[in-house]
């Protein structure tokens, strides 16, 4: 579901959780006040500028940004660059057949197909 379909409170909660996880992955520990303020800014940016993306798109943009850029300090400019770069990947692959698309977008093709992820912890080994 696109971001435009969520309430601002749901977007703020998502932003707060995402930023907390991002700071942890970057090895940083901001104070609660700064985390809250930045999550408000991120929520506004998502609802104003990235309303056609999904929460999962944003999570993937942050994941890709953390792992594939040299940015180690989270700012508005940094996360904007991450989201815009990932959005461009999505746009560039829209008209390409799913099996030929960028592998970072494979999560977008499972939706509505009835396919589920297999949890390896709950499966039995066959011998």
């Amino acid at each position: 579901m696109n971001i435009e379909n969520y309430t601002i409170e749901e977007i703020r909660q998502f932003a707060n959780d995402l930023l907390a996880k991002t700071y942890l992955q970057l090895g940083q520990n901001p104070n609660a006040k700064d985390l809250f303020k930045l999550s408000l800014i991120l929520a506004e940016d998502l609802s104003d500028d990235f309303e056609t993306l999904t929460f999962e798109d944003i999570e993937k943009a942050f994941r890709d940004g953390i792992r594939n850029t040299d940015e180690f300090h989270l700012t508005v400019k940094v996360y904007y660059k991450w989201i815009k770069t990932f959005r461009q990947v999505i746009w560039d692959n829209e008209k390409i057949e799913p099996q030929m698309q960028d592998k970072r977008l494979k999560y977008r093709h499972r939706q509505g197909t009835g396919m589920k992820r297999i949890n390896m912890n709950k499966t039995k080994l066959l011998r």
Side-chain angles (χ1 to χ4, degrees):
M1 187 161 59
N2 291 350
I3 291 171
E4 64 192 353
N5 297 322
Y6 290 96
T7 66
I8 192 65
E9 282 306 315
E10 291 171 320
I11 298 170
R12 286 180 182 153
Q13 182 61 46
F14 167 77
N16 191 58
D17 293 345
L18 179 62
L19 289 174
K21 187 168 85 171
T22 301
Y23 277 119
L24 180 67
Q25 292 178 60
L26 290 171
Q28 300 172 8
N29 189 18
N31 63 48
K33 186 178 174 182
D34 290 342
L35 180 64
F36 178 73
K37 287 179 181 178
L38 189 58
S39 70
L40 294 178
I41 295 168
L42 175 57
E44 283 183 32
D45 288 342
L46 292 177
S47 65
D48 291 344
D49 301 328
F50 302 106
E51 69 276 356
T52 60
L53 297 177
T54 65
F55 282 165
E56 193 169 11
D57 292 334
I58 302 301
E59 287 175 335
K60 297 292 184 183
F62 272 65
R63 183 182 190 286
D64 193 55
I66 292 167
R67 288 162 177 75
N68 297 316
T69 65
D70 293 332
E71 306 292 346
F72 61 91
H73 188 74
L74 189 60
T75 65
V76 173
K77 283 189 170 225
V78 168
Y79 75 66
Y80 233 80
K81 187 183 342 176
W82 291 350
I83 296 170
K84 288 176 80 173
T85 299
F86 201 76
R87 181 179 64 182
Q88 191 61 51
V89 169
I90 292 169
W91 287 351
D92 290 346
N93 285 268
E94 280 182 337
K95 296 190 190 301
I96 299 174
E97 294 181 32
Q99 63 271 22
M100 301 300 289
Q101 289 182 353
D102 191 303
K103 67 180 182 172
R104 293 173 287 181
L105 301 178
K106 66 183 174 186
Y107 70 95
R108 295 180 120 234
H109 304 294
R110 251 185 259 118
Q111 298 172 355
T113 63
M115 295 178 67
K116 296 181 181 178
R117 289 186 180 178
I118 296 174
N119 185 346
M120 295 306 290
N121 296 329
K122 294 183 180 180
T123 58
K124 294 180 183 178
L125 294 175
L126 300 175
R127 295 184 186 245

